[in-house]
């Protein structure tokens, strides 16, 4: 069983996976005038949690489930699919749920960064079963395998994923808007129950077939991502 310290380690923004270089779409939202203060940042984070947070957490939990022996879902026989096959299905389904080409690229780039850390820390984990798609596997799939290797539970895995979707953007808000960091942390405390609820919902869906996993979308975030990618000068990669 994993220790609480491992859960904290993987949720820490200082984990060497490059998350600090991304604003979760906040930089473009700020430039568009849609996020201007603490209240609008809170609304942005809540929306992100309900969309990208839920989807990412569900796919991370599903990858964790596939990697942990003995977690066969209802209606599925042991040995029905290999880990590599399941991960390939999950990767394709997550790709289909990521409408913006830029966000697909970002997810795979973050997956590669996380994979480098995972291989260095847990070299015996089954990372070789990840899809060999151009650009690498999507970040939530890598996270699921990494959390399984660390001994975290499925719920812990979903929590790490959901937590990461809001904390990175919140930190970016301090830099982009000059907000009081103490107030931003208080905002995150206020979102804690929603984050836990999102993680619980995501973990429950992990027994579903890949095609039935959550598909919540944020079209405006997709548009902002494509616009942001054209900027010559920016603080964040996405």
């Amino acid at each position: 069983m994993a220790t609480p310290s491992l859960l904290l380690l993987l949720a820490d923004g200082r984990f060497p996976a490059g998350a600090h270089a991304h604003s979760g779409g906040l930089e473009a939202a700020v430039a568009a005038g849609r996020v201007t203060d603490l209240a609008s940042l809170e609304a942005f984070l809540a929306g992100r949690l309900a969309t990208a947070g839920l989807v990412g957490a569900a796919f991370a939990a599903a990858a964790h489930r596939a990697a942990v022996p003995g977690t066969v879902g209802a209606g599925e026989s042991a040995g029905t699919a290999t880990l590599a096959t399941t991960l390939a299905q999950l990767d394709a389904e997550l790709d289909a749920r990521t409408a913006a080409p830029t966000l697909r690229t970002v997810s795979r780039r973050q997956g590669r960064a996380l994979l480098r850390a995972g291989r260095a820390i847990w070299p015996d984990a089954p990372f070789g079963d990840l899809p060999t798609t151009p650009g690498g596997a999507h970040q939530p799939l890598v996270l699921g395998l990494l959390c399984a290797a660390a001994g975290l539970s499925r719920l812990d895995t979903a929590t790490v994923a959901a937590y990461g979707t809001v904390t990175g953007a919140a930190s970016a808000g301090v830099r982009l808007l000059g907000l009081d960091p103490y107030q931003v942390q208080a905002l995150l405390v206020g979102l804690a129950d929603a984050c836990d609820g999102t993680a619980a919902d995501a973990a429950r869906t992990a027994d579903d077939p890949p095609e039935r996993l959550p598909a919540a979308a944020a079209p405006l975030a997709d548009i902002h991502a494509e616009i942001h990618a054209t900027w010559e000068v920016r603080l964040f990669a996405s």
Side-chain angles (χ1 to χ4, degrees), residues 28 99-104 220-231:
T102 292
L103 293 183
R104 291 186 214 133
L220 188 57
D222 295 334
I223 294 170
H224 280 169
E226 293 303 312
I227 294 172
H228 184 269
T230 68
W231 295 358

Side-chain angles (χ1 to χ4, degrees), residues 110-155:
Q110 289 183 304
R112 293 197 305 271
L114 186 59
L115 182 57
R116 286 194 293 271
R119 280 177 167 159
I121 300 168
W122 289 283
D124 295 329
F127 296 123
D129 286 316
L130 286 164
T132 56
T133 49
H138 280 293
Q139 190 268 359
L141 275 61
V142 181
L143 179 62
L145 295 194
L146 194 149
C147 288
L152 297 182
S153 69
R154 186 190 306 184
L155 179 58

Side-chain angles (χ1 to χ4, degrees), residues 2-238:
T3 65
S5 294
L6 279 175
L7 174 60
L8 296 175
L9 175 69
L10 293 177
D12 194 332
R14 292 167 294 186
F15 191 81
H20 64 280
H22 300 269
S23 74
L26 183 67
E27 186 170 22
V30 168
R34 299 184 182 280
V35 179
T36 58
D37 54 17
L38 200 65
S40 51
L41 175 62
E42 182 177 15
F44 176 89
L45 295 178
R48 180 165 168 75
L49 185 60
T51 53
L54 175 62
V55 173
F59 275 82
H64 175 283
R65 173 192 175 279
V68 176
T71 54
V72 177
E76 180 181 342
S77 302
T80 297
T82 65
L83 175 58
T85 299
T86 300
L87 292 175
Q89 293 172 338
L90 289 170
D91 194 78
E93 289 293 335
L94 185 50
D95 213 53
R97 286 159 173 75
T98 310
T102 292
L103 293 183
R104 291 186 214 133
T105 299
V106 167
S107 177
R108 294 188 186 281
R109 184 183 302 140
Q110 289 183 304
R112 293 197 305 271
L114 186 59
L115 182 57
R116 286 194 293 271
R119 280 177 167 159
I121 300 168
W122 289 283
D124 295 329
F127 296 123
D129 286 316
L130 286 164
T132 56
T133 49
H138 280 293
Q139 190 268 359
L141 275 61
V142 181
L143 179 62
L145 295 194
L146 194 149
C147 288
L152 297 182
S153 69
R154 186 190 306 184
L155 179 58
D156 288 340
T157 301
T159 300
V160 171
Y163 175 82
T165 62
V166 293
T167 54
S171 178
V174 174
R175 295 180 60 187
L176 292 166
L177 294 168
L179 297 175
D180 182 342
Y182 296 110
Q183 291 184 331
V184 172
Q185 288 302 309
L187 187 158
L188 288 173
V189 169
L191 288 172
D193 286 345
C195 187
D196 290 343
T198 297
D201 290 343
R204 280 193 293 270
T205 69
D207 283 327
D208 292 339
E211 64 272 15
R212 292 181 58 190
L213 292 176
L220 188 57
D222 295 334
I223 294 170
H224 280 169
E226 293 303 312
I227 294 172
H228 184 269
T230 68
W231 295 358
E232 292 185 3
V233 180
R234 57 195 179 200
L235 284 178
F236 295 94
S238 71

